[in-house]
């Protein structure tokens, strides 16, 4: 709570909070959502599953290659973040 309060205070002092929330509202509208004042959004942090890549797979990914045993498994390719570092 203190972190959120401090962030809001600094944005207000910098005169940036209105512009920031106007841009945020515009982004929501462009995505098809209708932001209305007084609504509360619930944010929940969800842990992402950890990738368990072998050392060989890690080496291939560092070199920009797709590991050999992944190439014939499109579902595995769609679940792996090959660009994460």
């Amino acid at each position: 709570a203190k972190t959120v309060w401090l962030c809001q205070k600094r944005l207000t002092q910098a005169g940036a909070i209105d512009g920031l929330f106007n841009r945020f509202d515009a982004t929501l509208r462009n995505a098809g959502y209708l932001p209305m004042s007084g609504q509360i959004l619930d944010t929940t942090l969800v842990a992402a599953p950890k990738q368990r890549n072998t050392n060989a797979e890690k080496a291939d990914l560092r070199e920009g290659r797709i590991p050999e045993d992944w190439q014939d498994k499109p579902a595995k390719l769609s679940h792996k973040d090959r660009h994460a570092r």
Side-chain angles (χ1 to χ4, degrees), residues 31-47:
Y33 297 102
L34 180 61
M36 301 175 79
S37 66
Q39 291 181 335
I40 297 174
L41 298 177
D42 177 24
T43 58
T44 304
L45 298 177
V46 179

Side-chain angles (χ1 to χ4, degrees), residues 6-82:
L6 187 58
C7 181
Q8 184 264 342
K9 181 179 174 184
R10 288 185 178 167
L11 286 170
T12 301
Q13 288 173 343
I17 200 158
D18 288 332
L20 177 67
F21 278 98
N22 288 339
R23 288 182 67 184
F24 181 70
D25 287 347
T27 301
L28 289 176
R29 275 193 304 276
N30 290 340
Y33 297 102
L34 180 61
M36 301 175 79
S37 66
Q39 291 181 335
I40 297 174
L41 298 177
D42 177 24
T43 58
T44 304
L45 298 177
V46 179
K50 294 180 180 175
Q51 293 190 26
R52 305 285 187 220
N53 299 329
T54 65
N55 288 336
E57 291 170 338
K58 290 176 191 176
D60 284 341
L61 293 170
R62 275 193 291 273
E63 295 292 323
R65 294 186 305 264
I66 296 174
E68 195 172 307
D69 59 329
W70 293 10
Q71 293 180 10
D72 59 342
K73 298 177 183 170
K76 188 166 196 164
L77 277 175
S78 68
H79 290 114
K80 293 286 188 173
D81 185 357
R82 299 182 313 241

